[in-house]
């Protein structure tokens, strides 16, 4: 059974810092990995998708990496801003008989002005 | 539509009542997913449709939960005899293709269900 873990559960940083969020998964049989952002009381906004054959994806100040063999992904946020405050979720799209997104519990990020 | 639309955004119901939650996927998306998110947790898979048929309903917690997608577009999640433990945010997502490396899921804003 696929399990996704995100560390840390919460992170508080001053504005301007670069930061890294971690995601690990137990089964490497995945199609891709997606990072999402969730604001309080809102749905999920897709940030980055990394296909299983790819190593990284970049969008603006965000860079996500994937090491499928070791079951790890990181989301790097450069020059953090208060508007980046949200919960960040990673999810893997599993292969095999049950193809679905399996989520971690998320990292709650607070960027202080 | 421009995005995945879920209605209602909030629903309060009494224990034992029946509720329906609606999801309008992005136009042209053949895959549709339902997830449930409890406070402080990540979303948990409920059911996945490819077209009109449920390709995987292994996440439905019990037979009080049922979902349909009769025309391959709009989907309705139905919960009978609601219990307080059913209180959660119910999220719907859609994607354009059959499952593969390019499959990117887009989520709606969710329906917050509260059973009192």
């Amino acid at each position: 059974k696929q399990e996704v873990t995100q560390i840390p559960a919460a992170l508080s940083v001053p504005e301007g810092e670069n930061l890294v969020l971690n995601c690990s998964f137990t089964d490497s049989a995945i199609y891709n990995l997606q990072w999402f952002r969730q604001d309080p009381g809102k749905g999920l906004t897709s940030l980055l998708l990394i296909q299983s054959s790819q190593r990284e994806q970049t969008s603006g100040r965000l860079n996500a990496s994937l090491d499928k063999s070791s079951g790890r992904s990181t989301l790097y946020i450069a020059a953090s801003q208060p508007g980046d405050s949200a919960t960040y979720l990673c999810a893997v799209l599993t292969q095999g008989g049950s193809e679905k997104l399996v989520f971690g519990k998320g990292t709650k990020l607070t960027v202080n002005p | 539509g421009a995005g995945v639309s879920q209605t209602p955004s909030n629903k309060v119901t009494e224990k034992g009542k029946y509720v329906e939650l609606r999801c309008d996927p992005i136009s042209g998306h053949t895959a549709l997913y339902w997830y449930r998110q409890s406070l402080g947790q990540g979303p948990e898979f409920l059911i996945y449709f490819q077209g009109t048929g449920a390709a995987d309903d292994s996440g439905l917690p019990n037979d009080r939960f049922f979902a349909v997608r009769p025309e391959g577009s709009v989907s309705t999640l139905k919960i009978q005899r609601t219990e307080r433990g059913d209180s959660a945010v119910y999220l719907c997502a859609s994607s354009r293709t059959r499952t593969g490396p390019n499959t990117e899921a887009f989520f709606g804003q969710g329906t917050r269900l509260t059973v009192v």
Side-chain angles (χ1 to χ4, degrees):
Chain A
K1 178 186 173 185
Q2 179 75 263
E3 293 184 359
V4 179
T5 303
Q6 292 188 246
I7 295 174
L11 181 64
S12 182
V13 300
E15 181 177 4
E17 272 204 8
N18 303 324
L19 58 99
V20 174
L21 308 181
N22 296 290
C23 172
S24 62
F25 49 97
T26 56
D27 189 340
S28 62
I30 64 170
Y31 284 115
N32 61 44
L33 182 147
Q34 263 185 275
W35 282 94
F36 294 89
R37 169 186 173 136
Q38 187 172 34
D39 292 286
K42 303 293 185 182
L44 279 63
T45 300
S46 180
L47 297 174
L48 289 165
L49 180 147
I50 311 176
Q51 297 182 24
S52 59
S53 60
Q54 297 174 330
R55 297 285 292 182
E56 67 177 326
Q57 282 287 335
T58 298
S59 176
R61 294 183 294 108
L62 306 180
N63 176 278
S65 69
L66 174 65
D67 184 341
K68 196 176 84 160
S69 60
S70 68
R72 295 180 183 177
S73 176
T74 61
L75 179 67
Y76 175 83
I77 303 177
S80 58
Q81 303 171 357
D84 295 330
S85 299
T87 295
Y88 290 80
L89 292 155
C90 78
V92 295
L93 183 60
T94 62
Q95 286 186 354
S98 184
E99 297 170 340
K100 57 181 176 280
L101 278 171
V102 178
F103 283 84
K105 293 185 178 182
T107 294
K108 184 176 181 181
L109 173 66
T110 303
V111 181
N112 301 300
Chain B
V4 178
S5 176
Q6 292 187 246
T7 54
S9 55
N10 281 285
K11 176 72 175 178
V12 180
T13 191
E14 292 181 349
K15 179 175 176 294
K17 299 290 188 182
Y18 167 83
V19 295
E20 289 189 352
L21 312 180
R22 176 187 169 107
C23 174
D24 278 275
I26 293 172
S27 179
H29 280 196
T30 59
L32 185 146
Y33 311 80
W34 283 99
Y35 284 79
R36 179 168 71 173
Q37 186 176 26
S38 301
L39 194 64
Q41 302 295 315
E44 293 181 314
F45 171 78
L46 294 176
I47 187 169
Y48 159 53
F49 287 91
Q50 185 61 245
T52 60
D56 183 351
D57 65 358
S58 62
L60 295 177
N62 51 59
D63 61 6
R64 295 187 297 106
F65 288 74
F66 190 71
V68 296
R69 195 186 185 198
E71 298 179 357
S73 178
V74 171
S75 177
T76 304
L77 179 65
K78 308 181 180 191
I79 310 174
Q80 298 177 323
R81 304 184 303 280
T82 52
E83 300 176 355
R84 292 195 179 88
D86 298 335
S87 298
V89 175
Y90 290 81
L91 295 165
C92 176
S94 69
S95 65
R96 189 175 40 152
T97 62
R98 295 191 67 88
T99 308
N102 291 326
T103 302
E104 183 174 10
F106 297 89
F107 281 77
Q109 294 299 296
T111 293
R112 180 175 298 278
L113 176 66
T114 304
V115 182
V116 298

